[in-house]
DNA sequence: GCAAAAGTGTTACCTATACACCCATGA
DNA sequence: TCATGGGTGTATAGGTAACACTTTTGC
């Protein structure tokens, strides 16, 4: 099934006011059959009108007058990808006067989507890109993605956020590969195991992933601990 | 000299659109003559109109159509306190539908001002409060200040931000007292000295602060290192 | 058996912390 | 000289990183 990604239309007010948009940098993981390590990918929308017609841009839309910021992020995320995020956090408010021909303040969120459901539907005008090698994007969106990547790499170091990219059950090697893809460096399997086991965030199951060499125990994410601190509104 | 703190008037558009405001949580330090340790203080503005008329609120104002976000924060900060900040960083964008009778998205910044210049002028309708014991504020401003305090305490742990509260030259004890006031706990003077000396952020001078017991060497902040990472726009 | 990944043990090193101790000044 | 803060030395504990080693599977 193919749907058309919704394209935001301008609000009814004129261009002499500041308009508020909400965009989201959506990260997921793709494991190519031949590839050794998974890669970080994100969905972009091809613009169908000026400015930057034809260029790729972050999914987003105008903030509705009766809509909370995070609701707008969830809504535009669902409209673009048909997915619901496992993690959603405000990134930054971009409001430079010259970032768009008309005055637009963009409240940007960033999100994680689990890999097992991240390719179930495809939408027109939407494509997934390798986060490490993006084309020139519309507006200041390259800068925004760069900052989101920086935040993700930072946060993976002191929170349990990597779980947000994995399916329900996973091996320690799979979890380590997520860290390696985000941080772009190898981690010692032995030390990684000890660190993550001592953090009380994993629940071992009695199942094993078999198929190659010695079977690896499957773990489940401990729902009792938050993935990460999501800001001032996460009480 | 006494000036009147400017009170923002509504933009010319109607109430059926989302308006963008910019507010700032401004931290400074006050050393009471009798007190042992300095306390963290912040300026608030008494509202002169509905909603929340008579209540204390964060300094701020409406975003001008041709004004960058950070410029608006600097402008309202200067209008309220007559000061320019030693540090200014975006905190968060607050946009819940019910946070104000009309729809307002507030881009909130937080700032540090040096103590030696933080009381040079006084403005009507402005008062400085102990950051640890605030009265009930207008809108969601108590929540906002709480988050700013959390961010300040966090950032003081991994950046050189405490220098932003001190004058040009200072002793290690004075710097330590800033940390103690922010973190609200005592720090070992010996270990504090070693940590800060090994971080390459201080330049020793040949001057000494005298007047009590053994004179203490004065240090200067090393301008080569940034106070802290200020976000995606600080290139 | 052999290769390779799963999983365990051991060690070196670095940093945070606690605290004993000496130094220099004002009163 | 004594009290007090400035400043140095040192021992300990906890955590990170490197890496040798054992276990268990597929082929």
């Amino acid at each position: 099934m193919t749907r058309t990604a919704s394209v935001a239309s301008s609000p009814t007010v004129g261009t002499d006011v500041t308009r508020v948009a909400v965009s989201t940098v959506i990260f997921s993981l793709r494991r190519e059959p031949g590839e050794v390590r998974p890669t970080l990918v994100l969905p972009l929308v091809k613009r169908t009108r000026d400015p930057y017609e034809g260029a790729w841009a972050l999914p987003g839309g105008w903030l509705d007058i009766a809509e909370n910021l995070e609701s707008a992020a969830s809504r535009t995320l669902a409209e673009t990808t048909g997915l619901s995020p496992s993690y959603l956090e405000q990134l930054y408010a971009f409001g430079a006067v010259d970032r768009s021909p008309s005055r637009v303040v963009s409240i940007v969120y960033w999100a994680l989507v689990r890999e097992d459901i991240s390719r179930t539907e495809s939408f027109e005008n939407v494509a997934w890109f390798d986060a490490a090698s993006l084309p020139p994007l519309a507006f200041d969106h390259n800068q925004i993605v760069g900052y989101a990547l920086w935040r993700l790499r930072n946060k993976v170091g002191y929170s349990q956020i990597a779980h947000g990219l994995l399916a329900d059950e996973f091996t320690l090697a799979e979890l380590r590969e997520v860290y390696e893809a985000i941080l772009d460096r190898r981690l010692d399997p032995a030390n990684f195991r000890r660190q993550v086991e001592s953090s009380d965030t994993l629940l071992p199951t009695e199942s094993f992933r078999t198929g190659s060499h010695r079977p690896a125990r499957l773990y489940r994410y401990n729902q009792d601990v938050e993935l990460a601190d999501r800001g001032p509104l996460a009480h």
Side-chain angles (χ1 to χ4, degrees), chain A residues 15-235:
Chain A
T15 55
D16 56 341
V17 294
T18 299
R19 289 174 295 167
V20 179
V22 175
S23 299
T24 306
V25 183
I26 306 166
F27 292 112
S28 191
L29 224 51
R30 177 166 41 185
R31 287 170 196 271
E32 291 295 343
E35 294 291 322
V36 191
R37 296 161 63 183
T39 55
L40 211 52
V41 293
L42 54 86
L44 296 174
V45 181
K46 183 175 260 174
R47 289 185 58 81
T48 57
R49 61 184 66 193
D50 268 333
Y52 293 100
E53 180 174 347
W56 295 97
L58 291 172
W62 300 111
L63 175 68
D64 195 271
I65 183 91
E67 191 180 34
N68 286 329
L69 296 177
E70 189 169 316
S71 306
S74 290
R75 171 178 59 81
T76 56
L77 192 156
E79 287 170 358
T80 305
T81 65
L83 302 172
S84 65
S86 56
Y87 184 77
L88 181 63
E89 177 192 318
Q90 191 183 110
L91 178 68
Y92 199 79
F94 294 85
V97 171
D98 60 357
R99 64 185 294 274
S100 172
S102 63
R103 186 67 199 276
V104 177
V105 170
S106 282
I107 318 289
V108 179
Y109 281 73
W110 67 285
L112 301 181
V113 186
R114 301 194 189 284
E115 59 172 334
D116 58 331
I117 57 171
S118 68
R119 311 297 292 287
T120 51
E121 290 188 279
S122 50
F123 291 71
E124 275 183 35
N125 294 322
V126 174
W128 291 76
F129 290 79
D130 185 337
S133 58
L134 294 177
L137 306 182
F139 306 105
D140 47 4
H141 289 190
N142 284 98
Q143 185 184 29
I144 293 176
V145 172
Y147 183 52
L149 266 171
W150 178 87
R151 184 97 136 236
L152 170 62
R153 294 200 171 108
N154 252 287
K155 206 132 194 171
V156 85
Y158 62 87
S159 74
Q160 311 308 321
I161 213 155
H163 298 270
L165 289 167
L166 283 179
D168 206 45
E169 297 193 333
F170 48 86
T171 67
L172 289 184
E174 287 164 356
L175 181 60
R176 176 170 47 83
E177 283 167 354
V178 176
Y179 277 83
E180 291 180 340
I182 293 174
L183 299 175
D184 196 26
R185 64 186 178 93
R186 310 306 306 269
L187 300 175
D188 185 299
N191 296 330
F192 181 82
R193 164 183 300 273
R194 266 185 295 261
Q195 283 178 6
V196 80
E197 275 182 343
S198 68
S199 72
D200 261 358
T201 57
L202 291 191
L203 299 174
T205 71
E206 291 310 310
S207 314
F208 290 81
R209 171 96 71 234
T210 179
S212 72
H213 312 298
R214 175 172 172 177
R217 183 180 295 275
L218 289 173
Y219 289 80
R220 188 184 294 277
Y221 171 61
N222 182 357
Q223 301 292 132
D224 291 347
V225 293
E226 282 291 321
L227 276 184
D229 181 69
R230 291 174 55 244
L233 305 179
H235 61 275

